Amino acid sequence: MIDDKTLIARVVLADDHHAFATLVRRYQQAIRQFLRRLTSGDQALADDLAQEVFTTLYHKIASYRSEASFGTWLHSIAYRTFLNEKRKSHYANEVPYSNAIIEPMASSNAEKDLLVESLINRLGLAERTCITLAYSAGMSHQEIMEVTQLPLGTVKSNITRGKKKLETWLHESQITRSAL
């Protein structure tokens, strides 16, 4: 497998479309998942934004300086693309908090995944972003700081608060299940 730096060099120096396509294939799932979480599950918007991210990447790839990992840099582009869309369209990405009892936890893995997704969508944007980058993208606090431009303490607080909320909501779900 060819490493990212070699692929990037091929794109920059030789306008190698195959190398660029390899980078897209390598990162498209992670970027789409990240954007889907930011858009509270709006798959169509997430796909449109991902397309914009990779178009931006193609035009800006020569500016990549290897100070952060390529994946971190690409997530930064995705995050800024989302924020720009949010500003332009006044996209309402905050899912209103509901006091309704969460559906009982289901027995299948697919149903559990849906429950977790619905709970993550209840988090505020900053918490949802930091949790997604930490756990879905596997980024360190430093990398999350680079993507979001938030101070370290804020990143840590968002992750801690988000985890506590998710744990509480999951516990509520368990109580609901046991009451049935």
Side-chain angles (χ1 to χ4, degrees):
M1 181 167 83
I2 302 171
D3 68 344
D4 290 348
K5 288 182 183 183
T6 302
L7 292 170
I8 293 165
R10 288 180 181 177
V11 173
V12 171
L13 299 174
D15 196 27
D16 184 334
H17 294 277
H18 295 291
F20 185 75
T22 300
L23 287 169
V24 170
R25 278 191 303 278
R26 193 172 286 174
Y27 289 96
Q28 69 183 346
Q29 183 177 354
I31 294 301
R32 281 193 172 119
Q33 179 180 350
F34 177 55
L35 290 167
R36 184 178 45 76
R37 288 248 173 97
L38 293 180
T39 61
S40 298
D42 186 337
Q43 189 66 47
L45 179 58
D47 286 346
D48 289 346
L49 293 174
Q51 179 89 21
E52 189 174 335
V53 167
F54 288 107
T55 300
T56 300
L57 172 64
Y58 184 77
H59 294 291
K60 293 190 174 189
I61 197 164
S63 67
Y64 174 63
R65 298 287 175 245
S66 301
E67 293 163 1
S69 75
F70 182 72
T72 300
W73 186 69
L74 189 55
H75 276 81
S76 297
I77 293 171
Y79 186 61
R80 285 191 307 275
T81 301
F82 168 76
L83 292 177
N84 288 337
E85 175 64 23
K86 183 179 171 203
R87 275 191 291 275
K88 283 190 303 190
S89 67
H90 305 291
Y91 175 74
N93 69 323
E94 297 295 332
V95 175
Y97 177 76
S98 168
N99 286 325
I101 296 177
I102 300 166
E103 290 295 318
M105 186 169 285
S107 57
S108 77
N109 284 337
E111 290 170 330
K112 288 177 184 176
D113 289 345
L114 288 173
L115 174 63
V116 170
E117 281 296 317
S118 72
L119 295 178
I120 289 172
N121 286 336
R122 290 176 64 183
L123 294 172
L125 176 60
E127 292 166 345
R128 190 168 61 239
T129 300
C130 292
I131 290 278
T132 299
L133 291 172
Y135 295 101
S136 293
M139 290 189 184
S140 68
H141 291 148
Q142 180 66 37
E143 290 170 318
I144 296 169
M145 285 174 45
E146 292 171 18
V147 169
T148 62
Q149 300 298 303
L150 293 172
L152 178 61
T154 304
V155 168
K156 289 179 177 182
S157 293
N158 283 330
I159 291 170
T160 301
R161 258 193 328 271
K163 281 175 49 177
K164 284 182 182 176
K165 286 178 184 179
L166 290 172
E167 288 169 0
T168 299
W169 296 334
L170 281 169
H171 179 70
E172 290 171 3
S173 173
Q174 292 289 346
I175 291 171
T176 303
R177 182 178 181 199
S178 66
L180 296 178

